[in-house]
Amino acid sequence: MFMACGNDSPVAKIIVVNQKMPLTEWPDSTYIASLDSILASEPVVAKKEVDANLTMKGFKAPGFKLPPSVTGKPDPKKSTKSNSGNANAAKKNNILTAKSNDNGSGNAEQFANKFSDALSRLQSDPSNSSLYRTVEAKDGDDLFKLLRRTYGGGVNNLPRFYVLSALQSVNAGVALEHLNAGDKVRIPKI
């Protein structure tokens, strides 16, 4: 190749498909006119409207109650003897009703509710040893294997991110996503 005014050879730009390129010069009017004619001949197809159906699990987010050591307020008094007899009778009645209405989904929802309540109590007072039990991880365990081994199959219906983040706040210094054999994990008592 023979060059008249210099030793630099032209550099070809490599064009990559599906990648944005900076515009170095404006397109001329004939190019734009040809694009307009092509787009005008394209048929316009109306898209079908799709209804989105979203479902959520019937799991309510727990409320958090701060312990008396933080709020400075005394614990509310327990019910008196006259109320405790009525409360025990009501508890027995609720248990009998729950057993008669028990099915697979109700049992899973009950477990999720009990677990979330116990977890919120543990989060509000993590130093109270009556609210948690300590479980030792085995080789190959992750958090949900450990919980499934402890509580059973109801753990499968719990929201993973919420449980992981809530238990991580109670178990400082333990990597719950990557447990090692012998790691001690605090889990709520149900």
Side-chain angles (χ1 to χ4, degrees), residues 39-62:
L39 293 175
S41 65
E42 286 289 322
V44 177
V45 179
K47 293 184 179 180
K48 295 180 181 177
E49 291 186 22
V50 178
D51 292 335
N53 293 328
L54 300 176
T55 58
M56 295 180 68
K57 292 185 178 180
F59 180 75
K60 68 174 187 175

Side-chain angles (χ1 to χ4, degrees), residues 35 59 87 94 112 116 119 128 136-137 142 144 162 165 186 190:
L35 283 180
F59 180 75
N94 287 341
S116 67
L119 187 56
N128 188 348
E136 188 172 325
D142 66 355
F144 281 88
Y162 167 72
S165 60
R186 288 182 182 179
I190 297 180

Side-chain angles (χ1 to χ4, degrees), residues 82-103:
S82 63
N83 289 340
S84 66
N86 293 338
N88 287 338
K91 268 187 187 178
K92 287 180 185 178
N93 189 19
N94 287 341
I95 291 171
L96 292 175
T97 307
K99 284 184 180 178
S100 64
N101 294 334
D102 193 20
N103 60 17

Side-chain angles (χ1 to χ4, degrees), residues 117-183:
D117 291 342
L119 187 56
S120 66
R121 284 192 306 272
L122 177 59
Q123 274 189 301
S124 64
D125 192 8
S127 61
N128 188 348
S129 61
S130 67
L131 298 176
Y132 68 86
R133 60 188 268 197
T134 305
V135 180
E136 188 172 325
K138 293 182 180 177
D139 191 30
D141 273 352
D142 66 355
L143 177 65
F144 281 88
K145 282 183 185 177
L146 182 121
L147 292 175
R148 207 173 299 117
R149 183 168 34 101
T150 307
Y151 298 118
V155 171
N156 296 334
N157 297 327
L158 297 175
R160 296 180 85 69
F161 179 75
Y162 167 72
V163 172
L164 182 64
S165 60
L167 285 177
Q168 187 64 59
S169 69
V170 174
N171 292 288
V174 179
L176 295 179
E177 293 180 11
H178 307 288
L179 290 172
N180 297 319
D183 283 347

Side-chain angles (χ1 to χ4, degrees), residues 18 37-38 44 46 49 71 77-78 83 97 106 109 112 117 127 153:
N18 294 330
S37 65
I38 291 170
V44 177
E49 291 186 22
T71 61
K77 299 290 181 189
K78 301 290 182 187
N83 289 340
T97 307
E109 287 179 18
D117 291 342
S127 61

